[in-house]
Amino acid sequence: MSTLTGCAYTDLCWEVRTCAPDPEPPPGPCAGEPGTAPALDQCGVFVSENGDDRSPGTKDAPVKTLQHAVGLASSGRGGGEGPTGRVYACGGTFREAITLPSGVDLWGARLCDGGDWSYDGSFGGPNEFTVIAPPVGIPVRVLAGDDAVLAGDDATSMIFGVRAVAADASASDGKSSIAMILSPGARATVRESAILAGDGKDGEPGEDAPSFRADPGVVGNDGADACTADVAMGALPVVTVCDDGIESAGGYGGDGRIERGGDGTSGMPEPAGNPDVRGLAGGGASSMPCSDGQNGADGAPAGHAAGAVGDGRLDIDGWIGLRGEDGKRGDVGQGGGGGGGGKGRGPVNACPTGRPQGGAAGGSGGSGGCGGKGAQGGGYGGASIGIVALQGSVLAVEASKVLGARGGDGGVGGTGQWGGLGGWPSHGGHALATGTAHGCAGGGGGNGGRGGDGGGGLGGASFGIASMSASVTLVQDATVLAGQPGQGGRGGNTGVVDAPGQGNRGPSLFWYRFDAPDEEPPR
């Protein structure tokens, strides 16, 4: 219960009773700003490049690695000691990636040579910063939730006197370079520090489709000769079954008969609109000779797939861009039409007495070639981002530099496969005497369409800060800059930029705010 001091009372009910506030408690020994507060053993864990992780982390016996110091600061040194919630780090270089629970401060740039661990200004000397520069990984990740040491407003980590330097393409995707990530709900203040991303890696090229042609069509069957049967059955069709299950079939040859030749059938599949009336059947002989089946239409090529368009998205590992679209398969060639059949009787009979009297049969059409396979789209370039702040996190940047560098270029799309050649046409059956007795040839199958070339990947993003549903405050001479974004990848089988299938250039801004996705899309 508070003790009210200096209170003024009155009997008038409409007058307000006033009391002097309780006196403020004196500050504790660990209170104060990073540049002025004393560095005491009871206030934090001490870490030096020359330390030893078997040590207790005191001023006289510091530990060697930042992560071990963070663990002691968040859980206590043992022997019943509670967590100090603070790490004092010497100026120097630590080649390790660290995870920092919200509520644990990292005060770097300490001058440790004299043993007093004082602070002389983060811009005051050649080794002024505590440099965190792992060869692989994200230098600093601030955690929240169950990993936070303190609750409420006190769960904010102060990162002071630190230079976090991300290596090129060192994030977990092997593409991006990100210097710091605040996990969902994490809280951090970056003061008098430098957070520097490296370059992103260029996106991988899309895989080419096979360099050899797709499966070819089959040669049509020849028709039976005249005078071999009263009804010489037309040649059976041939069929190509492609590896995607699509079929192309030549048309049946027309029957060879006595009075009138049979018509062939058209090749399949019939293309939309049957352009140039391709693949039609030949007619059987009547008063006029039979007609040949027509060649099948070539399958339509797939063309270039689209290049990647968009800004990408954020997740717990950083930025995920967009691949170029994969090329589609070319259409199968149409089978040729079957040739018409001949007839045995006319002004002069075609067949000798005592032999079967039917005319020659028509040949079947050749089947079409399979469509070529599409190539894969190019991969996205890696991003370069100083700080990523995820959902519900709180970030403040004060008197610090946060810099993005160069995003990687998007990968070029792969090259599509050429379609298979159509099957050759067949021959109609032979006859001896009359012009109407012979069978007619089937048409050749159409060539398969060329597979589509893959689209180019999205260029890598470059941001100083990228956030998603987070609170970000830039104050007191904060410098936040993006670098150069990556160029979009070229479409497959193109030699110049701005050709079909070109991916978009990566997004670039000093601070980019992403919308939170409704649901997590597949990777």
Side-chain angles (χ1 to χ4, degrees):
M1 177 180 295
S2 296
T3 301
L4 299 178
T5 60
C7 293
Y9 295 92
T10 176
D11 291 332
L12 301 176
C13 62
W14 61 84
E15 293 189 13
V16 178
R17 183 180 66 184
T18 60
C19 298
D22 290 344
E24 292 290 336
C30 300
E33 293 298 309
T36 58
L40 304 176
D41 284 342
Q42 69 192 84
C43 299
V45 177
F46 294 80
V47 56
S48 166
E49 291 176 289
N50 301 317
D52 187 334
D53 280 347
R54 293 170 294 183
S55 299
T58 60
K59 292 173 68 173
D60 294 332
V63 298
K64 183 177 182 62
T65 60
L66 287 169
Q67 193 61 61
H68 186 57
V70 169
L72 294 178
S74 61
S75 61
R77 294 187 178 94
E81 179 182 317
T84 62
R86 183 178 300 165
V87 171
Y88 295 98
C90 289
T93 300
F94 296 83
R95 301 192 181 279
E96 56 177 308
I98 68 168
T99 54
L100 188 68
S102 292
V104 174
D105 295 331
L106 175 56
W107 290 6
R110 316 307 292 189
L111 303 177
C112 307
D113 293 342
D116 63 351
W117 295 77
S118 62
Y119 175 76
D120 193 28
S122 62
F123 301 99
N127 298 313
E128 66 272 15
F129 283 114
T130 294
V131 179
I132 306 175
V136 177
I138 295 168
V140 179
R141 186 184 291 269
V142 184
L143 305 178
D146 294 338
D147 298 302
V149 174
L150 302 172
D153 292 339
D154 291 331
T156 299
S157 293
M158 170 69 74
I159 298 169
F160 180 90
V162 167
R163 181 190 293 268
V165 182
D168 295 344
S170 59
S172 59
D173 63 356
K175 293 183 174 186
S176 296
S177 179
I178 300 170
M180 181 182 294
I181 289 184
L182 273 64
S183 67
R187 303 166 67 95
T189 296
V190 177
R191 182 184 296 174
E192 292 193 33
S193 296
I195 312 297
L196 310 175
D199 293 339
K201 183 180 179 181
D202 292 344
E204 69 277 7
E207 184 176 348
D208 292 335
S211 58
F212 52 84
R213 283 186 175 269
D215 290 342
V218 180
V219 176
N221 291 315
D222 294 336
D225 292 339
C227 309
T228 57
D230 287 341
V231 178
M233 300 300 295
L236 294 175
V238 293
V239 179
T240 302
V241 181
C242 302
D243 56 12
D244 59 352
I246 301 296
E247 297 182 356
S248 174
Y252 282 89
D255 297 338
R257 300 174 181 165
I258 298 175
E259 301 294 343
R260 187 183 189 285
D263 296 334
T265 63
S266 297
M268 299 298 290
E270 182 178 318
N274 200 13
D276 301 325
V277 288
R278 306 298 295 273
L280 296 181
S286 54
S287 59
M288 298 293 291
C290 63
S291 58
D292 294 339
Q294 297 185 4
N295 293 333
D298 292 341
H304 278 92
V309 177
D311 294 331
R313 62 185 177 88
L314 295 181
D315 74 356
I316 58 172
D317 293 317
W319 183 79
I320 298 175
L322 299 166
R323 297 183 61 89
E325 287 188 3
D326 293 339
K328 294 182 172 56
R329 184 185 289 267
D331 288 345
V332 69
Q334 181 189 16
K343 67 173 186 173
R345 288 183 181 168
V348 177
N349 287 345
C351 300
T353 302
R355 297 271 304 272
Q357 299 297 299
S364 66
S367 59
C370 293
K373 293 180 179 179
Q376 288 186 350
Y380 59 87
S384 177
I385 307 175
I387 301 177
V388 171
L390 297 174
Q391 298 100 313
S393 63
V394 179
L395 170 68
V397 180
E398 304 175 3
S400 298
K401 293 180 180 179
V402 181
L403 306 180
R406 188 186 73 85
D409 293 338
V412 64
T415 299
Q417 181 186 29
W418 284 97
L421 297 173
W424 286 79
S426 62
H427 297 290
H430 298 288
L432 297 176
T434 65
T436 56
H438 71 278
C440 288
N447 297 327
R450 186 177 179 277
D453 300 307
L458 182 67
S462 181
F463 305 126
I465 296 173
S467 65
M468 179 172 62
S469 301
S471 172
V472 176
T473 304
L474 308 178
V475 295
Q476 295 185 8
D477 299 326
T479 299
V480 181
L481 297 174
Q484 178 181 342
Q487 297 295 324
R490 290 183 289 106
N493 201 38
T494 62
V496 295
V497 297
D498 296 330
Q502 174 88 30
N504 272 14
R505 185 179 182 180
S508 177
L509 202 65
F510 80 100
W511 171 21
Y512 192 94
R513 283 160 278 195
F514 285 86
D515 294 330
D518 294 332
E519 59 183 34
E520 191 75 4
R523 296 185 68 170

